[in-house]
Structure formats: C-alpha cells, structure tokens
Amino acid sequence: MKNKFLKACIIVSISASVFFCCWGIAKACASGDFDYEIAGYSLFSQELIGRTPMSPFLFDPSQPYYQGLLDSSTAKTFSGNEAEWVAYMAKGPSEKDIYYLMSKSRLIDLEELKKAVLKQTNHLSDTMQRNSGAKYLILKGDLESCNYLIFAKRCEPHANAGGGEWGNLPVRDTLAMEKLVNEGKQYAKSQKNLFLRNRYAFQAARMAHYRGDYTTCLELCSLYESAVPADSYISRRFQALMAGALKHAGQFEEARYRFAMLFDKYYDEDFDFYYKNFAFSTPAYWNSEPRISANEALPKYSDSLGGYQFCRNAHEKAVLHFLDAYSGTSLEIPAMKTMFKLEPGSELIDILLVRTLTEMENSGYFAKHMYDYSGVTSDKPQPGDRDPKAFRAFVQDCLTKGKLKRKYLWEYVAGHLSYMMKDYTTAHQYFNTAIADAPSGLAIAKQARGMELLMEVELAKHLDADFEAREMAGIKWMKENYPKDDRLSYLFWRMAQRYDKQGDTIKALMCYSQSARGIDLITKAETHPLAKLINWITRPGKSPFEEQLVLGFKYALGQLHELQGTVFLRQHRLTEARDEFQMAGNGNLLPLPGDPFEIHIRDCHDCDFAEAHAHPYSKLTFVQRMIDLEKQSDEPGPDQASAAFDAANGYYNMSYYGNSWMTLAYQRSGYDTTEQYYDCSVALYFYDKARKLSSDAEFQAKCAYMASKCQHNDGGPQATADEKRAQDYHIYDQMLKDQFSKTSYYKEVIGECSYFRYFSNH
C-alpha cells in the first residue's frame, strides 16, 4: 500500500521540482506513511550544533522526510528572481513591487500596463499605478519586458493547474501548452536581450515539461542553460527542470546526481525540497524490501552507478553518500565512514552523526540498559539497534585523524556515547575537552553540566540526604536554564527508579510526577499510597530538596484528599469519605449533574441532568446525606422506610447505572475494572430493607422493582448471559408479578419496561 501511494505521489512531487511556487504539493504528498515513533528521551541538545539552517528537524531520525521547516533566520521572503529583475531595471523598483507584478497581478492588469507603455488609453488599477515596477516600464517605454511578463502570465495557469481527486494528475490543456512551447522557442530565438531570452527559453522548457514532452524540455535546457549565469535564479530553475525531466524520462542516475548538486548548492534554503526529489529519483527507494537488521542496508550504489559516475570530485561524492544515508538507501555509519574519507570537514556528516546518536539513544537496547526499562527483555542489541562501541570507536578515530568542521561536537558525542555505555570517567573527559574546544557563544558548558548531573545520579551508591543536598542546587539550576529540557525530565525519571529500588515509594512517585512518564493516581486510585502521600506532604521538617519535590508534584493536596475520599466512598466507608472531602476543599468537589436520590423505571441520565437544581449535591453533601439516611433507616419511626429507600437510591445512582456514577469514577466506561463501580448489592439490601419496613403496596412494588434492577445489574455490563443464568435473577421479578400485580406502579412498569413485560407474559 505504501509503495502504491508513493508512486502516485511521485509525479506530483517531481513536477513540483520545476516550479517553486508548487513546492507545497510535494510536501503534502509526504504522508504519515513515512513517520515512525521513537519512544524515550533525547538527552542531546541541538544548541551544540551552533546556528545552522539545517536545525532543528534534520537531526531527528524520527522525522526522516516530511517536516522540512527551515530556520526562520534563513528563510527568504522572495525567490531571488525579484532581485534579478530589480538589477535589470537599474535598481529602480522594489522587490515587493516586482513580486506583485509577476505573482499577484492578473493577465488583464498586465495588458492594461502594456497599453500604458504604448501611451494608449488604459485602465490601470490604483495598485498598478502605485507599483514602482509598472512605473519603471511606463517611464522607459519597455515594451519587450512587458511582453515577456504577459507571456509568463499566460503560462502560469498551465504550470499551476490543480489535480482532480487526491493522487490524480492535474488536468492540463496540452494543445494550448504546445502552442506556448512553440511561441516561447520563437521568442527566445529572436530575442537579443539575454535576460529576456533566457526567461522565454525557461518558460518554453517549463511548458514542455508540464505537458509531458520531456525530450523537448531537455533539449531546451541543454541549449540555453549553459549560457545562463551560473548563480542566477534562472540557472537554478533550468537545473531543476532538467533533473525532473531526466527522472520522468527514466534516466534516474543522472537525475539523482543533478538533484544532489542542487541540494548541495541550495540546501540552506530548500533542504527538504531537493532531498525529497533526490529520494523520488531513487528506484530502490520504492522497490526495496525493508531492512532486516541494523547491518543490512538497501542496495547501495558503487562509484560507477547511481549517479556517482557523474561526480567530478570527492565533495560531490560525499553529498550523494549523505543523501543516500539520509533517505535510507544506505546506513548512516557506513556512509559517515565513506564521507570522512572523501571530505572530513563536510557539514553534512554532522547531521548523520547526530541523527545516528539520537536513534541509538532511543533504541530498544538502551531503553533497557540506559533507562532500566523493563519492557525490553533482551540483553543484546536487537534488529534496528546500533552498536555503541563500534560507533564510539569510529567517532574517536575521526577525532584522532582531525579535519572535522566541528571538532567540539564530535568530542561531545563521544562523551554522550560514553555516558550511554555507563563509562562515566571517559564521558567526563570528553565533555571537558568539548568545552575547551567549543567556540564562544555556544552553551556547551551548560549542556555538559546537565549531563554531569545525570552522571551524579548514576554514580551515587545511595540517594540519601547528602546526595539530595548536592543535587538540589543542580536541579534548581536546570529548572532555571532548561525548564523543558528532556535531561531535566530524565533526571527525575532516573532518580525515581533509584528511589523505587531503595523502597522509597513516596519520593519515587514525587520524581515520576516530574518526568515525561508522569504518574496517574486516578486510575485504580485504591492501589496507590494516597494516605502516605498526604502524610508525607503535610509532615513538618522536610528538607529543601523534599520541599522542591512537593512544589513540582502533579497533584495538589486537596486533589489527594478528594481521591482518598473517593476510594473510601467506593468501599462504603462513608464517615471517612466525608472527612477527606471536607479537607479537599470546595474547589476540588464539582457539583453532581443530577439528583443522586432520583430514580426512574427506565434510567435516563440525560433527563436527570436536564433538570435544574437550585442547590446541587457535591460529593461532600451527598455523603453527608447518605450518612444521615443510613442512621435514620435504623431508627424506628414513620420515615424509617423512606430513609432506607432514599439510601438505596443513593447507592444505586453511585454505580455505573445511576446518574451520579461520577461519585465513584472519573469517566464512565463499561470496561472499568473497579468492582464497586458496578456493585448494586448494597442498594439491593436497602431496597429490600425499605420494602420490609413498609406496609404500603405501591411503595413495596417500587422497592421490589428497583431490587430487581439491582439483581439484573449484578456483574456489570460485561457479565455474560451464562453468568447471569448461573443465579436466579428473577426473585424480585417474580415477587413483583405475584404480590403486586394489582398496583398502579406495576402497570407503569409493564408500560415502560419491555424486559419485565416479556417476563410477565411467559
């Protein structure tokens, strides 16, 4: 499925390569099929790279393809074409006005401009009258430039033609485009002005490409491209046209080479764009089987294949090796070794260095050995993992041989790898060397200090008060300088794991709360040491380190009391629940949306929620009422039976089936494993008690029916029919039928409850 999708996408992408206004199409084609997740922390900070147009996403192996967001400081407002027109017009107009003439004006606007140039009656818009480019053309009487702008505007809709349904090719008028090709060729042949001649030729080649006439496109590019200034905008466009046409003509190897050279020259502006088109020109990218292990690459090219045969020097070969590694056609480490031999000072090798480190950092092997992650059971690197020893040896070898562009970066990576291998002495040495060799302005000392804090956690024999006092200053420093850094989160994670092993559950929970893993005290709240947490947080005499843990803890004290109260309520420990809810504070006790003492023959939560309540219940007031009702149901008197009935309603509505299920749960789910969430046995007890305390047949009928509902709900919504048949679930159904069939309530039940109606008739 992936290959089919990408093949449908490839044509649009390569077409986009020849007209930069369409580059968004190529990016849109890069779907989630390319994405993969790497779980874990990244402890490497990209601040170490220094300011570069390639950061940040290019260094992240979890984004191998499609999120090509450029550094905002390097992104250009205009394409470069505008500046060349400004120079051509003797620096009279502004780039902004030239851009409007070429990209925003309509064909009719340019035709009116031509009339103005010819001193004919015209209807120039206010915008065109104010446009400095239009003013220049009128002042100079520059009819030739005006004619070219009109011709380019006629070509524009054919180049920008949109497609039909997703994945379909754009629908274009190929006959009209053929006419434009021929016109452009004639204009280019007859035009003596080289600036305009080259642009006419480009428009003709562009139209030939879009109509699928790649032979003509290549002929025009070959004829005119060599005469165009090498660093000009039109030269760049000709080269892109030629590369795209070669790809479509099946000449993949030369297309790869040409896109690689465009990438090399312009990656600071369009890294993502040229990289994608290089990848789309690689047949192996589409047809190869997935990698089987870390040591098995996709078919790689030799120096006489894959575009390498066109390379004129070592630098060009290094660029192709980089792109093959970046796109997955070869592996990063072998590519880096080759690139280092060819051009050790290449900036591109730094990208592969950091991407490989990040990918290695998040492999399953290190998830266990670096993070002590129990989900990985193997003690050996698995397929897809990288060998840290071999990688560090390669990095060390490169450092020894020298000539690296960013020596300090390689030293830091060597230190980082040593940390991952738990060789903390070597890590410390490399971090210090990197600090000494780094240029001023880079915060490498700060980065290294963060790693030193992590190493202190690993080297400590026991996380005791002395350790906490030492680490306190470092944690404060990290929070001030890197509050959202992965290393701070990872620091808390590693401390949490150490505390866990020491048996200090409370501090472990405190640290987990401030890591990326976080903690969830709500799910299965009864399994968590809530009372111990509350006592630990409120105890006097905590150290500054412990006070900082409390400040960063995810749950406020009131929330913990609310959770503990809910646990007690699930256990029907009403007095203790009330005490906890009182300490929780009103801000942590939301009002119940329905009356918890209201019941119906057919449960209707929405009906109950729609009713307005002047004084809605909270968990606290609900529990207090339940305490009073239970007490009243035990005291003889005229209200004893009704108190028992209301208590039963409260217990029923607390369950999954009632309108106040949120007293026990934080979301309504038929798959909640909390047993009390479905338990209606206490409600049944009080319905039975109320029935026995009363002699009113109507009231007794209501009690019997509600007891029947409790009985049928036993086991929760996931209970099977066989499980329910294992017990007699019709005791109260039969009672209602035999003893209360003459009551009005019985008739109401027959009218509303189809289940009971079926039972009564059989």
Side-chain angles (χ1 to χ4, degrees), residues 509-510 512-514 517-522 549-557 559-560:
L509 286 172
M510 289 280 167
Y512 277 131
S513 174
Q514 299 183 57
R517 166 182 164 174
I519 58 170
D520 176 12
L521 298 181
I522 293 175
L549 290 183
V550 173
L551 287 174
F553 191 52
K554 175 181 178 181
Y555 294 91
L557 183 60
Q559 291 175 291
L560 294 176

Side-chain angles (χ1 to χ4, degrees), residues 253-324:
E253 295 183 342
E254 188 175 352
R256 278 166 47 88
Y257 169 75
R258 287 186 173 273
F259 276 125
M261 295 306 100
L262 281 164
F263 167 88
D264 181 43
K265 198 168 185 177
Y266 301 109
Y267 69 73
D268 61 333
E269 300 174 30
D270 284 307
F271 184 112
D272 189 44
F273 180 79
Y274 292 118
Y275 153 67
K276 284 189 293 190
N277 284 289
F278 173 88
F280 284 151
S281 301
T282 305
Y285 192 76
W286 309 104
N287 301 322
S288 299
E289 293 297 322
R291 295 179 189 172
I292 298 173
S293 75
N295 298 317
E296 294 180 9
L298 297 173
K300 66 178 182 178
Y301 299 106
S302 66
D303 284 350
S304 59
L305 294 172
Y308 288 89
Q309 67 270 36
F310 297 101
C311 294
R312 296 168 295 182
N313 51 50
H315 169 75
E316 292 186 353
K317 287 182 179 180
V319 173
L320 263 75
H321 279 292
F322 167 80
L323 288 170
D324 272 329

Side-chain angles (χ1 to χ4, degrees), residues 463-475:
L463 304 194
D464 53 18
D466 290 339
F467 164 82
E468 292 170 355
R470 292 194 308 271
E471 201 74 357
M472 175 67 189
I475 292 174

